[in-house]
Amino acid sequence: MAVPQVQLWIGLLLAEAAVLPGGGQARFTPDWDSLDARPLPAWYDESKFGIFVHWGVFAVPGFGSEWFWWHWQGTHDRDYVDFMKRNYPPNFSYSHFAPQFRAQFFDPEQWADVFQASGAKYVVLTSKHHEGFTNWGSAQSWNWNSVDTGPHRDLVGDLGAALSKRSLHYGLYHSLYEWFHPLYLADKKAGFKTQEFVSRKTLPELYDLVSRYKPDLIWSDGDWEAPDSYWNSTQFLAWLYNDSPVKDSVVTNDRWGAGCSCKHGGYYNCEDKYTPGQLPKHKWEKCTSVDQLSWGNRKNMRLDQLLDLPTIIKDLMWTVSLGGNYLLNVGPTADGTLPVAFEERLRGVGDWLRVNGEAVYGSQPWRVQIENATLTICYSAKGSQVFAVFFQWPSDFTLRLTVPKTSPSTNVTLLGYPKPLKWTPLHQTGLSVLLPSLPPPAPSAWTLKLQGVQ
């Protein structure tokens, strides 16, 4: 049965949902039909590109992935067990890592400078991963948070303040569940018929995060073991959309209970590194990581295990062409630094966006999203303008586009190049564009801007 505190919240929210403010719009009720009908705040779709930051105690061992604790003491994976035997004494517990999560070199201003230089318009920081350690001083996580131990500072607040100075939108990742929390394990053993963990841990922390930091985005995770009714997700979202301090601007994803992904919520993640085969009917986001093997920091990370810059740019543009947002993850070290290889990738994306961002920010999918007739070409549109992004410079300096319909007023330019380009029609559709004979810049991607095409 639900605990009294949860019943109280539900009752208050239901009562509030029945009231219409004088002259205001109808309020959202705690059910998916109502919540799913909420329009997505425009800033999110216009942004297109964001940075994901996975940071927590898991950065201290820096081995395997951010799921270190689970692989070590949940599944007893041999690689993790052997790692601990080789490097730590027999009585060492996961909690002993926390004082070593010092973040002594964490400079939120420097991080924010890098994120701004990347061209990202929003940043999503891990407020709490499945290990339960909170990167702010949560009253529900006594001595297992970044203020009571480790850094002894409010990491969530410090980064948020730096991002705000640069007008970057701030999102917070939050895991609904925790692998080894006794209250969660008790609820799980009871078949999720009890909600002690939700009422005493999950919901108070979510309300605290929203009220204290006023994030523009809540990136929910850790939902898959229990239904949304256990998490009281619809009640929380009704409050978030109706009465929270960010009710008009906040964006949410789709991880609010088993079966919700790709079905309910704000925009859809569907699954990690999701890439649809065709244009989805609902706004979506691809989250992926520079380190292909982990979201959190790995001390034994190798260069050949990272996405290179051309791959990131192609992935970004492919996502944008299909109407998605691209959320690129980096994993800082336990001492609070961004690995140089990550910074190099982020600044490289920013350099590209400074020239080609017109094809990205505020764009919409075109009638054809991707063509592979001769070379792979990703399309986007903005008003009457069409952008064609290509990823290989033709050896004969001639690029053939098969799907645009030209007209006598068609004009073709290359973003970053000062003069219009010569072109000739192909057949009923398509055109052949003569590119500049100058040596192209370092291989990544180039953008044609087409005006006067249908």
Side-chain angles (χ1 to χ4, degrees):
M1 60 184 292
V3 298
Q5 188 176 10
V6 174
Q7 292 176 327
L8 176 61
W9 281 331
I10 294 174
L12 288 172
L13 288 164
L14 287 171
E16 291 171 349
V19 179
L20 284 175
Q25 62 183 11
R27 292 167 64 82
F28 298 98
T29 55
D31 59 82
W32 288 120
D33 285 343
S34 176
L35 298 171
D36 289 343
R38 177 184 183 253
L40 193 72
W43 73 261
Y44 178 77
D45 181 53
E46 293 169 357
S47 296
K48 303 300 182 187
F49 178 43
I51 302 299
F52 213 177
V53 184
H54 272 68
W55 200 28
V57 172
F58 47 80
V60 176
F63 177 81
S65 78
E66 70 286 351
W67 281 59
F68 180 92
W69 193 8
W70 177 254
H71 289 309
W72 172 33
Q73 295 187 324
T75 61
H76 304 288
D77 184 288
R78 180 173 296 277
D79 288 342
Y80 292 78
V81 172
D82 289 347
F83 173 83
M84 290 303 298
K85 286 181 178 179
R86 290 194 307 269
N87 296 285
Y88 296 92
N91 62 345
F92 196 94
S93 69
Y94 191 78
S95 62
H96 291 143
F97 284 126
Q100 300 177 42
F101 178 49
R102 295 177 56 202
Q104 65 268 36
F105 298 126
F106 172 49
D107 181 351
E109 299 292 336
Q110 187 264 338
W111 280 26
D113 282 342
V114 173
F115 298 152
Q116 184 178 45
S118 76
K121 299 301 183 182
Y122 63 105
V123 176
V124 180
L125 174 70
T126 306
S127 68
K128 185 195 76 171
H129 200 256
H130 314 320
E131 64 186 11
F133 187 91
T134 67
N135 281 329
W136 84 102
S138 168
Q140 287 74 38
S141 192
W142 180 81
N143 211 37
W144 191 233
N145 66 74
S146 66
V147 175
D148 290 342
T149 187
H152 292 290
R153 62 188 292 188
D154 181 355
L155 304 178
V156 171
D158 289 351
L159 182 59
L163 296 175
S164 178
K165 295 177 186 177
R166 293 157 180 83
S167 299
L168 293 175
H169 290 280
Y170 194 25
L172 294 176
Y173 167 105
H174 174 270
S175 174
L176 295 172
Y177 92 140
E178 298 174 21
W179 293 311
F180 302 111
H181 197 291
L183 293 179
Y184 179 74
L185 296 178
D187 285 348
K188 184 176 180 179
K189 186 176 181 180
F192 298 114
K193 303 300 182 184
T194 59
Q195 293 175 291
E196 289 290 326
F197 178 72
V198 174
S199 66
R200 296 169 59 181
K201 189 69 162 68
T202 299
L203 284 179
E205 288 187 338
L206 275 171
Y207 283 106
D208 184 38
L209 280 173
V210 172
S211 300
R212 191 186 303 195
Y213 302 108
K214 301 175 179 57
D216 295 310
L217 190 155
I218 297 292
W219 212 102
S220 183
D221 197 18
D223 63 314
W224 52 82
E225 290 190 345
D228 62 270
S229 57
Y230 167 73
W231 299 115
N232 286 319
S233 297
T234 55
Q235 287 82 9
F236 170 73
L237 291 174
W239 170 82
L240 187 68
Y241 296 164
N242 287 324
D243 299 301
S244 78
V246 290
K247 61 185 178 64
D248 296 322
S249 60
V250 73
V251 172
T252 64
N253 65 343
D254 57 351
R255 300 186 183 187
W256 295 102
C260 285
S261 289
C262 234
K263 185 177 180 181
H264 293 305
Y267 64 86
Y268 294 168
N269 287 122
C270 297
E271 61 186 38
D272 291 351
K273 303 183 181 181
Y274 173 69
T275 301
Q278 58 187 6
L279 180 65
K281 296 180 180 180
H282 192 91
K283 181 63 186 182
W284 65 285
E285 177 185 74
K286 177 172 185 176
C287 61
T288 192
S289 187
V290 175
D291 181 355
Q292 299 180 76
L293 302 183
S294 177
W295 300 84
N297 184 258
R298 292 186 304 127
K299 294 176 180 176
N300 59 342
M301 179 177 67
R302 299 200 312 262
L303 193 62
D304 62 1
Q305 296 167 338
L306 307 183
L307 295 177
D308 60 24
L309 182 59
T311 299
I312 291 171
I313 291 173
K314 185 173 184 178
D315 203 19
L316 164 65
M317 200 58 225
W318 190 285
T319 299
V320 170
S321 294
L322 290 171
N325 276 27
Y326 191 66
L327 187 64
L328 184 63
N329 178 77
V330 293
T333 65
D335 61 20
T337 59
L338 294 171
V340 173
F342 291 165
E343 181 177 346
E344 183 270 341
R345 299 299 194 279
L346 297 186
R347 291 188 181 276
V349 176
D351 290 342
W352 186 82
L353 284 169
R354 272 186 283 281
V355 175
N356 300 276
E358 193 176 353
V360 176
Y361 305 123
S363 67
Q364 298 295 323
W366 193 45
R367 61 176 175 84
V368 176
Q369 292 81 56
I370 298 164
E371 74 160 278
N372 289 294
T374 53
L375 300 175
T376 298
I377 298 168
C378 290
Y379 290 97
S380 65
K382 190 181 297 182
S384 62
Q385 300 172 343
V386 176
F387 301 93
V389 180
F390 57 103
F391 308 95
Q392 181 180 339
W393 193 271
S395 57
D396 62 356
F397 301 99
T398 302
L399 183 67
R400 294 165 181 84
L401 311 178
T402 63
V403 293
K405 298 178 181 179
T406 62
S407 70
S409 63
T410 295
N411 183 62
V412 181
T413 55
L414 177 70
L415 295 186
Y417 184 74
K419 300 178 181 178
L421 303 183
K422 295 181 179 179
W423 64 273
T424 55
L426 289 179
H427 304 291
Q428 290 184 340
T429 63
L431 67 161
S432 178
V433 180
L434 181 62
L435 299 173
S437 58
L438 299 173
S444 55
W446 303 267
T447 303
L448 293 182
K449 179 178 177 179
L450 311 177
Q451 296 170 297
V453 298
Q454 299 178 15

